[in-house]
Amino acid sequence: MNYILYLPLFMIIFPIVGALITGIASEDNDRLRNPLAVIVSIISAAAMILILHEYVQNGGWELLLHQIAPGLEIKFRVDPLAALFGGTAAILWSFSVLYSTGYMAHEHKRRRYFIFYLLSLGMTMGIALSANLLTLYIFYEFLTIFTYPLVIHEENDEAKKAGIKYIIYSFFGAGLILIGLIITYGNLGTLEFVRGGIVDLSTGSLLLWQITFICFILGFGVKAAVMPLHAWLPAAMAAPTPVSALLHAVAVVKSGVFGILRSMYSIFGITALIGLQMGYFVAALVSITILVASIIAMQQDVLKRRLAFSTISQLGYITLGAGLFNVIGLTGGLLHIINHALLKITLFFCAGAIITVTGKKKISELNGLGKRMPLTMVAFTIASIGMIGIPPVNGFISKWYLIQGSLESGAWIFIVVLIGSALLNAAYFLPIVISAFFKKGEFSSVEGPEAPLSMLLPILILVAGCLIVGTNLQLTVPYLENIANYLFYSGGN
Amino acid sequence: MDKATVIIMMVVIVTLPIIMTPVLMYVCRFSDRLRNGLAVLTAATTFILTLMLYPFIRDGGVIQQSIFEILPDLEISIHLDILSFSLAALSSFVWLLCAIYSIDYMAKEHACSRYYPVLIFTLGACQGIFFAGDLFSLFVFFELMSIIAYILIIHEQTEEALKAGYKYLVMTIIGGLALFFGVIIIFEIGGTVSLGVGVIVSESSMLGLVAFICFLIGFGMKAGMFPLHVWLPDAHPVAPSPASALLSGIMLKTGAYGLFRVFFHVFSVDLLRSSGWNVILAVLAVITILLGSAVALTQSDIKRRLAYSSISQLGYILLGLSILNFNAITGATFHIFSHAFMKSTLFLAAGAIIWKTGIRNVNEMKGLGRLMPVTMGCFSLAALAMIGIPPLNGFLSKWTLALGALDAGLPGYVLVLLISSLLNALYYLPIIIPAFFEHPEGEENSHEGDDEKHEVQFKIKEATPLMLSAIAILALCTIIFGLTPNNIVFSLSRLTAQYLLGGGSF
């Protein structure tokens, strides 16, 4: 059974190799490329499931690849947080590759698109499975580089501008992370992710550690779209919808959140975090992000941009959960990684299906769409209800835990923020649903499938997933509670 | 009847309508008659099954059963006691009549293939609210019903309906979030949200007060309590009349029901009395009663007038609840029934008038009694009951409520009830008196100089028998359950009050 221990490496290498193999197919040879890409992504998802299985059975393990210098290693580890992020991303990836085959059918440069789509998978897995900050940093940078061609895919002015914005913001963030990384290494001589954290506040001045903390939060905060570092995300909506769906709702943005969680709980550790007294900083940043993003989302008429701002606000929930400094709140934040991923990818897929079938991008043009695309709009409705946080769709349970966590820490302001944001969610999602179903429009029903099956199928499976996760909370909650407990370990300092 | 049978029956009562919803949607493709029949049949089955629980209730049975656990300490569960039974029986009864009424009423309308499934689904959700065994299940069904009811409200899909519907939706979401928050606080304080543990919160605390206010917002919004009533006068009139009857007659009561549960199963009665939290509700209820009645006077659209009347009548129920003694609770419970019968009659009759003549303005209803004697007769009966004239059921509920207020040493509330009754008279009588005793407009001119001018002329243009039977049955209820206090509904209300105040047993 030894080969299983090398699976983390396989998770990174295989998508890269797979991407190159997919590249063999010439530009017009969709019939070869599409199945190849789907197979690569499915094998990756299967390998990830194997890792998860092994992890549940026998616990985590490490894999040292290369030692650059003492304390600077390229190293992978399977631990609960890695399993959570890696599992979510890898499984959703296979759905979005399938979806892409339908969506991209009429786009140009499909070969480039699929190569980089799969390369990004490998990089994301690298981020998820990294065992120390250096490894994470390297893959984080590569993810930026490999997703750039996807952002500028359309190659028009808008896309190019978005691409430049994306690169500048990302490298600015990466620079901040590098500063934090150097300070940490300089003080401690290691960058290892350790349960309970490695930072000992007595090794340097408090101010220095506070600066380090801010560097990490803002640095990873760029990808996590923490305001005021969010501007690249709405701009990046110029990318094809599967890119927006996966990268800008799951992989890239969540890698930022993942980085924040790692630096908070695996580098600093809960004891040091409380010692830092930076709770208010995170709280203020996140509260502003949640509320302001929701308010801006209300004013967007382009559906994808509205979803982008909604993402910004929802990512705030996850960071909020991490910043509450109690187990229940953290559970809520971690739950929201899965729940938001499922809900938002469904919403984006619906938006993409609408664009492919009708060509409409603006919400004001969607009146009466329920007639033309009933299943898509039902899926959209269910996901919207989940976003607002109404049972039995899965979004409510993360809010439950977040509110309970806020009560636990006595932070009433967060409750106001959470409830206010839920209300705003309702205010920007429900009008879309209402106008699609109940307003008169020019759409009429058609015979046969309402959208290409390769797009409709992922939408239906994912929306079923939302309902299943929402009604069978035993599937997610106990595991995430364990992860939160794991991260909350304070004995190792 | 053993416990297992009862539990299975309760599950069936809740799930049957929900399961029938997709079936109805499918059947719509083939035959309208089959669809209508199936909808009525579902409602009837639900009603009969609910009634079959009566022997169990009569023996003082209470059931608390977890259906499945979603998380430790958090479950979907069912709870049956006399309060659940009363409301479930009432709601399925009115639903059945409204479904029957819909057959003819909706025949002229568009999108019936959407209307019937939604109508039946909300029935299931509503029964779910009444049978919920913990606050979380209650919340889930409450949200399901509220959100799906949106489709009933905007049925016409006019600009006006969409606007009213949006208002409704926003208020529903606000209320839902408040409830959600309240439930979480109770979970945080007590570690459970089950209704079967007697009382969850018995000590005064800041957190408890916040939870109490959250519940007031969440359930009060549904019950049309001031200042959260703003959606109601817009939403109820725009819906098709049978849906308005259900919205006003039953769905509002789910809010009142929720507050009953909060008052007796979440917080202890002693806590509410000693901390004076019930006064918050009392003050809001008084404002609701007076404001609802006063604004109803100014409305000329008949359905809007009825909607404002609903606001004020729900105020009675909330007022009775806030007084917290035996007579007041009996009165409040009985008024849930009374108002359901009266207001459904009124809305269905108003619907028949609109359906037949297109008249919505109350000033144009002169002489309508000759055109539609049965409809107007039932309307008048229910309107008189609203005013509180014996021997109709409205009188009995007001009498009992007033007794409760006097028992509590609060004669001021009696005055409020009297003023409101007077206002009721002021806005209902101007509809029914001209309807019977004045000539229709225009007709007077045509008969001018005629000898037979003073002769009463009947030119009957009634609604269809199905519609009339639904209206008449409901109108009859206002007499049957008002003649003497020895009727079944009143004794159910008394037993309910006894059960609730007795802290969980007879």
Side-chain angles (χ1 to χ4, degrees):
Chain A
M1 291 301 283
N2 225 359
Y3 68 95
I4 281 195
L5 301 183
Y6 291 97
L7 271 181
L9 194 59
F10 175 80
M11 283 305 300
I12 296 152
I13 306 283
F14 180 70
I16 298 175
V17 176
L20 297 178
I21 295 173
T22 313
I24 293 170
S26 63
E27 181 65 41
D28 296 321
N29 200 348
D30 289 333
R31 295 182 55 182
L32 176 61
R33 188 189 319 103
N34 289 346
L36 265 179
V38 172
I39 288 168
V40 169
S41 66
I42 286 177
I43 291 178
S44 303
M48 195 66 215
I49 290 170
L50 259 182
I51 293 181
L52 291 180
H53 180 75
E54 173 69 12
Y55 172 72
V56 171
Q57 295 289 315
N58 301 324
W61 69 92
E62 290 181 357
L63 182 68
L64 179 63
L65 193 64
H66 178 62
Q67 190 174 39
I68 304 167
L72 289 182
E73 295 157 335
I74 306 293
K75 191 172 164 188
F76 303 106
R77 183 188 297 124
V78 181
D79 76 346
L81 202 56
L84 170 66
F85 178 54
T88 313
I91 290 166
L92 291 178
W93 220 287
S94 53
F95 285 109
S96 7
V97 171
L98 177 61
Y99 181 87
S100 294
T101 58
Y103 186 89
M104 299 304 288
H106 308 292
E107 297 271 342
H108 70 146
K109 299 255 164 86
R110 293 184 292 278
R111 186 171 162 197
R112 180 182 75 192
Y113 172 87
F114 278 102
I115 291 175
F116 282 101
Y117 210 74
L118 291 173
L119 282 176
S120 310
L121 169 62
M123 297 310 110
T124 310
M125 292 302 115
I127 294 173
L129 296 166
S130 54
N132 56 40
L133 202 51
L134 180 72
T135 318
L136 190 147
Y137 175 76
I138 292 169
F139 283 108
Y140 194 80
E141 290 281 37
F142 272 115
L143 183 63
T144 308
I145 295 166
F146 285 153
T147 47
Y148 175 76
L150 297 174
V151 172
I152 59 145
H153 183 87
E154 305 286 346
E155 290 181 6
N156 51 21
D157 280 348
E158 192 198 350
K160 280 181 183 155
K161 264 187 202 156
I164 291 171
K165 220 172 192 175
Y166 177 52
I167 288 288
I168 292 176
Y169 271 83
S170 294
F171 284 141
F172 169 70
L176 285 175
I177 299 169
L178 191 59
I179 295 171
L181 193 142
I182 290 167
I183 298 176
T184 313
Y185 184 70
N187 270 289
L188 302 169
T190 175
L191 291 169
E192 196 76 7
F193 294 141
V194 175
R195 187 181 181 196
I198 53 170
V199 170
D200 184 356
L201 289 183
S202 58
T203 55
S205 72
L206 184 64
L207 183 67
L208 186 69
W209 284 125
Q210 281 177 339
I211 291 172
T212 315
F213 183 73
I214 292 176
C215 282
F216 283 137
I217 293 290
L218 292 183
F220 287 116
V222 169
K223 281 231 165 72
V226 172
M227 283 195 168
L229 304 167
H230 67 281
W232 65 272
L233 182 58
M237 289 301 128
T241 311
V243 175
S244 315
L246 189 70
L247 301 180
H248 303 137
V250 184
V252 169
V253 290
K254 296 258 157 70
S255 73
V257 175
F258 180 77
I260 291 179
L261 284 169
R262 275 293 191 213
S263 54
M264 273 178 144
Y265 288 95
S266 297
I267 294 288
F268 279 90
I270 186 65
T271 324
L273 277 180
I274 293 168
L276 275 177
Q277 297 165 331
M278 294 296 283
Y280 287 110
F281 169 73
V282 178
L285 214 58
V286 168
S287 305
I288 291 171
T289 305
I290 293 177
L291 286 181
V292 174
S294 298
I295 291 167
I296 298 177
M298 285 178 69
Q299 297 154 355
Q300 304 299 320
D301 191 32
V302 177
L303 182 54
K304 278 176 71 182
R305 281 182 72 87
R306 189 174 284 195
L307 292 178
F309 277 103
S310 159
T311 304
I312 297 173
S313 132
Q314 299 282 327
L315 290 171
Y317 286 28
I318 305 173
T319 319
L320 174 68
L324 283 172
F325 298 155
N326 62 41
V327 177
I328 295 178
L330 185 59
T331 310
L334 296 176
L335 273 169
H336 210 57
I337 292 184
I338 294 182
N339 289 339
H340 174 253
L342 273 173
L343 292 169
K344 194 45 73 63
I345 204 169
T346 310
L347 288 171
F348 267 117
F349 279 2
C350 292
I354 293 169
I355 293 172
T356 316
V357 173
T358 68
K360 308 281 189 210
K361 291 185 172 175
K362 290 188 174 164
I363 292 162
S364 50
E365 298 168 340
L366 299 184
N367 290 354
L369 187 66
K371 276 214 178 85
R372 173 71 181 79
M373 308 179 75
L375 287 174
T376 310
M377 284 320 289
V378 166
F380 192 91
T381 310
I382 293 173
S384 307
I385 286 175
M387 276 289 169
I388 301 164
I390 295 170
V393 195
N394 57 3
F396 80 97
I397 191 64
S398 19
K399 292 201 182 170
W400 175 294
Y401 273 86
L402 285 171
I403 293 177
Q404 215 190 335
S406 313
L407 278 174
E408 200 107 309
S409 62
W412 286 89
I413 180 74
F414 289 145
I415 294 168
V416 176
V417 168
L418 285 171
I419 290 188
S421 144
L423 200 58
L424 290 168
N425 271 315
Y428 63 75
F429 277 126
L430 291 181
I432 306 174
V433 175
I434 292 170
S435 52
F437 279 113
F438 302 118
K439 282 199 178 148
K440 290 191 178 66
E442 63 211 64
F443 299 101
S444 55
S445 50
V446 287
E447 290 291 315
E450 58 189 67
L453 272 183
S454 59
M455 300 172 79
L456 201 56
L457 211 59
I459 293 178
L460 294 179
I461 294 174
L462 286 169
V463 83
C466 293
L467 284 168
I468 290 168
V469 172
T471 46
N472 298 291
L473 299 175
Q474 303 282 16
L475 288 180
T476 50
V477 176
Y479 299 106
L480 295 174
E481 253 168 358
N482 285 343
I483 298 177
N485 274 318
Y486 172 89
L487 292 175
F488 239 75
Y489 181 73
S490 59
N493 228 355
Chain B
M1 206 189 292
D2 64 338
K3 217 176 142 186
T5 325
V6 175
I7 291 168
I8 292 170
M9 277 171 67
M10 287 169 69
V11 173
V12 171
I13 289 169
V14 177
T15 47
L16 175 78
I18 295 177
I19 293 172
M20 286 306 285
T21 308
V23 177
L24 281 172
M25 281 164 118
Y26 184 67
V27 163
C28 285
R29 296 182 181 179
F30 306 115
S31 153
D32 286 358
R33 288 173 63 101
L34 185 61
R35 173 197 66 204
N36 298 350
L38 216 52
V40 172
L41 190 70
T42 312
T45 317
T46 312
F47 175 54
I48 290 166
L49 280 175
T50 312
L51 277 192
M52 278 163 67
L53 295 173
Y54 180 68
F56 182 77
I57 292 299
R58 190 188 51 207
D59 302 335
V62 174
I63 278 184
Q64 172 78 33
Q65 175 70 37
S66 164
I67 299 296
F68 64 88
E69 197 174 55
I70 40 178
L71 284 177
D73 301 320
L74 198 63
E75 56 197 17
I76 295 291
S77 56
I78 53 174
H79 178 89
L80 177 68
D81 59 17
I82 187 162
L83 181 63
S84 335
F85 169 76
S86 308
L87 279 155
L90 172 70
S91 70
S92 47
F93 174 62
V94 178
W95 231 284
L96 172 62
L97 291 176
C98 285
I100 292 172
Y101 180 92
S102 299
I103 294 175
D104 285 335
Y105 185 87
M106 297 304 287
K108 285 182 181 176
E109 294 271 340
H110 74 137
C112 282
S113 54
R114 182 176 76 206
Y115 172 84
Y116 283 98
V118 169
L119 189 76
I120 292 305
F121 184 90
T122 41
L123 168 63
C126 198
Q127 301 300 76
I129 295 176
F130 297 138
F131 285 156
D134 59 278
L135 286 175
F136 182 72
S137 325
L138 181 64
F139 166 71
V140 172
F141 282 114
F142 194 78
E143 288 290 281
L144 267 183
M145 186 200 73
S146 302
I147 289 179
I148 301 293
Y150 170 82
I151 302 175
L152 290 179
I153 288 173
I154 54 115
H155 184 86
E156 311 281 351
Q157 284 176 256
T158 55
E159 198 68 25
E160 191 197 356
L162 283 173
K163 224 169 137 191
Y166 190 64
K167 213 170 182 182
Y168 167 79
L169 209 52
V170 170
M171 294 301 286
T172 299
I173 300 280
I174 294 177
L177 288 172
L179 268 187
F180 188 52
F181 186 36
V183 174
I184 296 176
I185 297 181
I186 295 299
F187 189 72
E188 177 77 14
I189 297 177
T192 176
V193 286
S194 170
L195 295 174
V197 294
V199 167
I200 302 173
V201 182
S202 52
E203 276 171 39
S204 175
S205 66
M206 187 60 201
L207 216 52
L209 180 61
V210 173
F212 182 76
I213 290 173
C214 282
F215 286 126
L216 270 191
I217 295 174
F219 290 126
M221 185 281 307
K222 190 96 237 174
M225 185 184 73
F226 172 86
L228 304 164
H229 65 278
V230 287
W231 61 275
L232 196 153
D234 291 332
H236 286 190
V238 295
S241 292
S244 318
L246 284 176
L247 283 163
S248 261
I250 303 299
M251 292 193 207
L252 288 188
K253 306 305 190 326
T254 58
Y257 170 80
L259 284 177
F260 268 77
R261 287 289 180 216
V262 168
F263 267 58
F264 295 102
H265 287 89
V266 176
F267 297 94
S268 77
V269 176
D270 292 332
L271 167 66
L272 293 175
R273 283 208 189 102
S274 64
S275 59
W277 292 351
N278 60 342
V279 180
I280 306 174
L281 182 62
V283 171
L284 291 175
V286 168
I287 300 176
T288 310
I289 293 175
L290 296 178
L291 184 100
S293 305
V295 179
L297 267 177
T298 67
Q299 302 297 320
S300 58
D301 181 301
I302 183 160
K303 284 178 83 177
R304 273 185 85 85
R305 190 174 278 198
L306 293 178
Y308 272 105
S309 160
S310 283
I311 296 178
S312 104
Q313 298 288 320
L314 258 286
Y316 290 10
I317 298 171
L318 301 182
L319 183 67
L321 179 61
S322 72
I323 297 173
L324 280 177
N325 64 28
F326 177 71
N327 274 328
I329 300 297
T330 311
T333 316
F334 187 65
H335 201 61
I336 292 182
F337 283 95
S338 308
H339 179 249
F341 294 137
M342 300 186 293
K343 196 43 68 61
S344 311
T345 313
L346 289 171
F347 263 118
L348 293 186
I353 294 168
I354 295 167
W355 188 73
K356 200 74 200 171
T357 66
I359 296 174
R360 285 183 80 110
N361 191 326
V362 288
N363 299 321
E364 293 167 11
M365 292 194 174
K366 287 173 191 155
L368 211 56
R370 297 175 197 183
L371 213 62
M372 310 178 75
V374 181
T375 309
M376 266 331 271
C378 293
F379 187 93
S380 312
L381 205 61
L384 292 176
M386 276 289 180
I387 301 166
I389 290 173
L392 301 168
N393 59 359
F395 164 73
L396 198 54
S397 35
K398 282 187 194 176
W399 176 267
T400 325
L401 279 171
L403 275 184
L406 290 176
D407 284 350
L410 297 164
Y413 291 162
V414 181
L415 194 67
V416 171
L417 291 177
L418 280 176
I419 293 175
S420 158
S421 296
L422 184 68
L423 290 171
N424 283 345
L426 281 179
Y427 61 79
Y428 279 123
L429 292 180
I431 304 176
I432 53 181
I433 292 176
F436 283 106
F437 301 110
E438 280 183 33
H439 288 281
E441 262 165 40
E443 206 167 292
E444 263 169 315
N445 299 332
S446 63
H447 286 278
E448 210 160 17
D450 233 325
D451 287 336
E452 46 193 18
K453 184 176 165 189
H454 295 292
E455 203 168 308
V456 176
Q457 287 185 332
F458 282 102
K459 284 188 196 160
I460 297 177
K461 271 165 72 185
E462 267 293 4
T464 62
L466 269 183
M467 287 164 77
L468 285 183
S469 62
I471 302 174
I473 290 173
L474 282 166
L476 270 181
C477 287
T478 63
I479 308 181
I480 295 170
F481 300 126
L483 272 175
T484 70
N486 291 327
N487 63 60
I488 172 122
V489 170
F490 195 70
S491 45
L492 263 181
S493 311
R494 288 174 69 94
L495 285 175
T496 306
Q498 227 167 37
Y499 164 76
L500 290 174
L501 286 165
S505 60
F506 283 104

